[in-house]
């Protein structure tokens, strides 16, 4: 019998699986594992199959020789600790004015409009916009920006609008896009953000 | 040790014949019962094993809860306990202190007194207890006594063998199996109080021989068979996932090898789930056969109280051969 790549005879479970896992992280080619009991045989096969490999088995002198062939798209075994599920990063844009930057008012309005348009064109969309103070005019009375924001909302971007600010400007009845929120939700959204951009 | 090897050795030992011995070792009884006087018997048991979790205090708690469980399975009250310790002298003694503190806390929670113990130098830490309980002989709940049509109730989910193997392999973290750890360190005290305030025909606790192993003890002792509903058996989170990745402990295979020939199963039974039914448990729940009438009320009381995941997992059927017929779901009710 050819020498097996892994001789896992005499190892208690989960030992044979751990040896197989180590080999799988080092090679893309077929390898063999020799085990001396049914528990190890079944565990190694299960592990290999759950990692996207195919397994052939031969019985030799009361031992089991498993030939493990990693699949082309073999899911790599997880790293030592189970990786937390990948989470999308929370990217928030905080808008506290209806103008972008400080300077000429007319220029500021134009820049804001084209910034929002640029957001609609980029596949890497933010997860949320928060509108406060004069920023609420962008979701109520500014036809140009409302259109871009509606496009963003369709792309599952959440638009939070400060209720106090709408009241103050008398614009509550004019809300065209987004939803009314409060300081608690806005505060915890800002604190929890991975990326926060303030306009 | 696996049930097969153990049975072989035990069969070679002389059979005790004292008229005051009320338990039989060959029937898979949880603990030994010895009559002291008319209305008083002592119930004795011991159990110890190597750590299955990293935290020494938690290990102490789990080992103690596991050892005390045999007393509760018989409906007795623990009164005294003694420590059994194997410990490498090279290890930090603070670890041993934590283990003992964890164990002592559980003994006190059980309302028993810690009398002392014995320590030996060992390559790997081991810990457990010898426990003595008392009971009026008329109240003893044995593994025998299950009757046809009885409902089989399990008070804790299973999967601790697979999950602790996954911890060893670092396939999962202890925080991901927090509910299983919490379950292992929970005494079966309250569960036994509720169960035995109702009519119970037979009872045992689920430990090293796995759910089917201990269920088989009930069948064998009662001269009955059963139908087990695999889909009803409560499992800890991640148990099936880890089983599918090859995290079955060696003890699971030994259990299945020993008892598997008593098993018949429906074609729709999930094969992976079937394996889990043989998973050796640490500090598992109580497994009882209850008369059908009133079983639902007992189950509700367990669920509202100490055992939110308690479940009716099968029904006792006609014997005398102890066959376990496994179905995915309950077909007859």
């Amino acid at each position: 019998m050819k020498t097996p790549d892994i001789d896992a005879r005499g190892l208690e479970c989960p030992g044979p699986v751990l040896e197989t896992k180590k080999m799988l992280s080092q090679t893309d080619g077929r390898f063999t594992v020799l085990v001396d009991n049914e528990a190890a045989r079944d565990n190694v096969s299960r592990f290999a199959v759950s990692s996207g490999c195919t397994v052939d088995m031969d019985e030799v002198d009361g031992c089991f020789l498993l030939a493990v062939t990693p699949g082309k798209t073999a899911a790599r075994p997880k790293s030592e600790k189970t990786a937390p599920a990948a989470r999308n990063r929370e990217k928030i844009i905080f808008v506290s004015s209806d103008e972008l930057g400080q300077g000429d008012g007319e220029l500021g309005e134009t820049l804001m409009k084209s910034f929002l348009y640029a957001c609609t064109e980029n596949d890497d969309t933010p997860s949320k916009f928060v509108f406060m103070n004069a920023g609420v005019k962008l979701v109520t009375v500014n036809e140009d920006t409302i259109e871009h924001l509606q496009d963003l909302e369709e792309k599952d971007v959440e638009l939070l609008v400060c209720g106090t600010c709408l009241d103050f400007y008398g614009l509550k009845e004019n809300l065209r896009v987004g939803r009314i929120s409060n300081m608690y939700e806005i505060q915890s959204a800002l604190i929890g953000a991975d990326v926060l951009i303030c306009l | 040790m696996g049930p097969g090897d153990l049975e072989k050795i035990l069969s070679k030992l002389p059979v005790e014949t004292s008229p005051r011995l009320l338990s039989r070792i060959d029937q898979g009884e949880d603990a030994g019962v010895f009559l002291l006087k008319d209305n008083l018997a002592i119930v004795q048991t011991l159990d110890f094993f190597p750590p299955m979790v990293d935290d020494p205090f938690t290990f102490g708690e789990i080992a103690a809860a596991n050892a005390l469980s045999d007393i509760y399975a018989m409906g007795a009250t623990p009164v005294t306990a003694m420590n059994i310790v194997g410990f490498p002298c090279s290890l930090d003694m603070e670890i041993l202190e934590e283990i003992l503190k964890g164990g002592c806390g559980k003994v006190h929670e059980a309302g028993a007194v810690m009398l002392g113990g014995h320590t030996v130098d060992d390559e790997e830490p081991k810990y457990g207890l010898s426990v003595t309980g008392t009971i009026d002989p008329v109240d003893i709940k044995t593994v025998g006594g299950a009757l046809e049509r009885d409902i089989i109730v399990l008070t804790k989910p299973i999967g601790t063998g697979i999950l602790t193997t996954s911890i060893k392999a670092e396939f999962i973290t202890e925080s991901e199996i927090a509910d299983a750890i919490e379950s292992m360190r929970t005494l079966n005290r309250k569960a036994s109080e509720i169960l035995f305030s109702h009519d119970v025909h037979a009872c045992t606790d689920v430990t090293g021989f796995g759910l089917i192993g201990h269920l088989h003890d009930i069948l064998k002792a009662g001269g009955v068979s059963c139908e087990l509903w695999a889909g009803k058996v409560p499992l800890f989170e991640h148990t099936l996932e880890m089983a599918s990745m090859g995290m079955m402990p060696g003890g699971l295979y030994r259990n299945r090898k020993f008892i598997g020939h008593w098993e018949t199963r429906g074609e729709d039974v999930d094969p992976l789930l079937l394996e889990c039914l043989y998973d050796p448990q640490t500090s598992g729940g109580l497994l009882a056969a209850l008369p059908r009438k009133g079983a639902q009320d007992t189950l509700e009381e367990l669920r509202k109280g100490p055992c939110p995941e308690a479940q009716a997992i099968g029904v006792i059927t006609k014997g005398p051969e102890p066959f376990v017929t496994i179905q995915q779901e309950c077909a007859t009710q």
Side-chain angles (χ1 to χ4, degrees), chain A:
Chain A
M1 181 173 71
K2 217 181 122 209
T3 318
D5 297 305
I6 301 171
D7 185 352
R9 285 177 297 179
L11 284 184
E12 274 271 321
C13 290
V17 168
L18 292 181
E19 293 297 318
T20 308
K21 181 177 157 189
K22 208 164 100 191
M23 180 66 90
L24 203 51
S25 66
Q26 292 165 354
T27 178
D28 291 326
R30 177 183 154 110
F31 60 92
T32 54
V33 189
L34 185 65
V35 296
D36 59 4
N37 65 79
E38 290 167 22
R41 176 196 69 192
D42 291 2
N43 274 334
V44 169
S45 313
R46 281 207 178 92
F47 172 74
V49 169
S50 77
S51 304
C53 306
T54 49
V55 181
D56 296 307
M57 203 262 295
D58 260 331
E59 201 171 339
V60 192
D61 301 331
C63 291
F64 305 98
L65 187 67
L66 302 160
V68 178
T69 314
K72 283 211 177 63
T73 56
R76 285 284 170 181
K78 294 185 194 175
S79 59
E80 286 309 305
K81 306 279 179 195
T82 338
R87 183 173 71 94
N88 285 330
R89 293 207 304 162
E90 183 89 337
K91 287 177 253 176
I92 299 185
I93 299 184
F94 181 71
V95 187
S96 60
S97 166
D98 58 342
E99 299 165 9
L100 183 56
Q102 287 167 353
D104 184 76
E106 203 178 321
L107 174 64
E109 280 182 28
T110 309
L111 290 175
M112 179 63 83
K113 183 178 141 190
S114 65
F115 174 80
L116 293 176
Y117 173 72
C119 287
T120 65
E121 291 290 294
N122 190 340
D123 286 338
D124 188 8
T125 52
S127 23
K128 284 190 181 94
F129 275 84
V130 175
F131 297 95
M132 269 197 153
N133 213 319
V136 300
K137 291 180 183 168
L138 302 173
V139 292
T140 49
V141 289
N142 188 329
E143 291 297 335
D144 295 329
T145 54
I146 286 168
E147 189 191 327
H148 301 322
L149 290 168
Q150 281 168 338
D151 289 346
L152 284 168
E153 209 171 33
E154 270 176 29
K155 289 182 164 180
D156 287 332
V157 177
E158 206 177 350
L159 309 176
L160 301 182
V161 184
C162 166
T164 311
C165 310
L166 288 171
D167 277 341
F168 182 87
Y169 289 108
L171 292 172
K172 207 157 205 168
E173 304 302 316
N174 303 68
L175 188 68
R176 298 273 299 281
V177 64
R179 71 176 170 86
I180 298 177
S181 180
N182 58 57
M183 194 57 93
Y184 289 104
E185 185 183 19
I186 290 172
Q187 192 269 350
S188 46
L190 297 179
I191 286 285
D194 296 307
V195 175
L196 180 61
I197 298 164
C198 299
L199 298 183

Side-chain angles (χ1 to χ4, degrees), chain B residues 257-333:
Chain B
K257 207 163 199 172
F258 183 64
I259 312 154
H261 61 278
W262 291 108
E263 163 209 302
T264 53
R265 59 183 181 279
E267 279 174 12
D268 60 337
V269 178
D270 176 354
L272 206 57
L273 174 60
L274 181 75
E275 301 266 356
C276 296
L277 303 178
Y278 290 93
D279 184 39
Q281 300 300 290
T282 297
S283 191
L286 296 177
L287 180 68
L290 312 181
R292 182 168 288 249
K293 189 166 179 276
Q296 193 56 37
D297 292 342
T298 311
L299 192 59
E300 286 304 318
E301 206 180 324
L302 283 167
R303 280 188 190 152
K304 279 185 198 142
C307 315
E309 302 200 62
Q311 191 64 261
I313 58 166
V315 62
I316 299 288
T317 55
K318 197 168 157 42
E321 298 295 328
F323 283 112
V324 182
T325 303
I326 303 170
Q327 294 179 348
Q328 184 67 23
E329 295 296 334
C330 158
T332 52
Q333 257 194 345

